[in-house]
């Protein structure tokens, strides 16, 4: 029976028992440990706001954008495909998504993308957009499981510019606009 919800590149250990038709349970089996690898050659980039600092050698980052920057640079250099796996926490940042990289919530975790006035003031990528997706390739990318909460009194926007027949899927997430936060009456 397959086991879902495992995190790639992380060791998981298991002990099993069996239950007979009379309800008697066996003793525990020997412990078995394994470290699953991503499917189809993907490499996970872990994002956790509890990490002390970005550590590209360990593929660990404190922000989604830092992992995206690494993925774009590394993929362009070596052709290695990545997915960004986001662990529990609240992420207050702008995201500039420009490559064939999925952004997914780690199984069993609760990640929230919550742009505030602080991230909205960041003019690194665009004056107006909290998430910019500009992909110039015939690829499919996914945002999965990471809820969005707009918590800024500034103009919060989300833009997708697709060139080259890119497909962007959003799955298993919610979008909430914080009451009274403002945003010039225009939101997602």
């Amino acid at each position: 029976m397959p086991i879902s919800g495992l995190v790639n590149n992380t060791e998981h250990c298991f002990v099993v028992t069996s239950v007979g038709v009379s309800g008697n349970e066996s003793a525990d089996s020997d412990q078995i440990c394994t470290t699953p690898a991503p499917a189809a050659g993907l490499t996970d980039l872990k994002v956790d706001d509890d990490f002390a600092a970005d550590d590209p050698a360990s593929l660990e980052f404190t922000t989604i954008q830092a992992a995206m920057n690494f993925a774009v640079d590394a993929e362009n250099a070596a052709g290695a495909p990545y997915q960004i796996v986001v662990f529990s926490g609240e992420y207050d940042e702008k995201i500039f998504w420009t490559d064939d990289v999925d952004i997914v919530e780690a199984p069993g975790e609760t990640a929230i993308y919550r742009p505030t006035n602080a991230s909205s003031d960041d003019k690194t990528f665009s004056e107006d957009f909290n998430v910019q997706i500009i992909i110039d390739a015939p690829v499919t990318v996914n945002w999965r499981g990471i809820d969005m909460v707009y918590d800024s009194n500034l103009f919060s926007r989300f833009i997708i510019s697709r060139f080259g027949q890119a497909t962007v899927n959003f799955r298993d997430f919610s979008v909430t606009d914080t009451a009274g936060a403002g945003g010039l009456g225009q939101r997602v």
Side-chain angles (χ1 to χ4, degrees), residues 46-55 59-63 87:
K46 297 177 185 176
V47 175
D48 193 326
D49 60 357
D50 288 335
F51 290 147
D54 293 339
D55 184 2
L59 305 177
E60 296 178 344
F61 301 89
T62 58
T63 66
F87 288 79

Side-chain angles (χ1 to χ4, degrees), residues 16 43-44 78 85 119 129 150 172:
V16 296
T43 299
D44 287 351
V85 179
S119 63
F129 302 104
Y150 284 107
D172 305 322

Side-chain angles (χ1 to χ4, degrees), residues 27-187:
D28 290 350
S29 69
D30 291 337
Q31 178 175 297
I32 301 293
C33 296
T34 187
T35 303
L42 289 177
T43 299
D44 287 351
L45 303 178
K46 297 177 185 176
V47 175
D48 193 326
D49 60 357
D50 288 335
F51 290 147
D54 293 339
D55 184 2
S58 297
L59 305 177
E60 296 178 344
F61 301 89
T62 58
T63 66
I64 297 167
Q65 188 60 53
M68 179 64 70
N69 293 344
F70 176 87
V72 169
D73 292 345
E75 188 170 335
N76 289 341
Y82 293 96
Q83 72 174 348
I84 297 171
V85 179
V86 184
F87 288 79
S88 289
E90 292 191 3
Y91 297 88
D92 181 10
E93 61 183 288
K94 281 190 169 184
I95 300 171
F96 191 47
W97 193 352
T98 60
D99 212 346
D100 182 13
V101 177
D102 291 344
I103 302 174
V104 301
E105 184 176 60
E109 300 285 319
T110 303
I112 299 172
Y113 173 63
R114 182 188 295 265
T116 65
N117 290 351
S119 63
S120 295
D121 287 339
D122 177 1
K123 305 300 184 207
T124 305
F125 307 120
S126 170
E127 299 263 338
D128 301 317
F129 302 104
N130 280 319
V131 177
Q132 263 184 279
I133 304 172
I134 302 175
I135 300 174
D136 187 12
V139 299
T140 298
V141 296
N142 299 286
W143 175 286
R144 188 177 66 240
I146 303 166
D147 293 335
M148 299 179 189
V149 177
Y150 284 107
D151 198 14
S152 168
N153 62 1
L154 301 175
F155 188 67
S156 299
R157 294 196 291 178
F158 192 93
I159 183 170
I160 302 172
S161 297
R162 297 178 302 119
F163 305 97
Q165 302 301 312
T167 299
V168 181
N169 295 313
F170 292 88
R171 298 183 176 143
D172 305 322
F173 76 104
S174 66
V175 177
T176 305
D177 191 2
T178 302
L184 303 177
Q186 301 179 37
R187 305 307 274 182

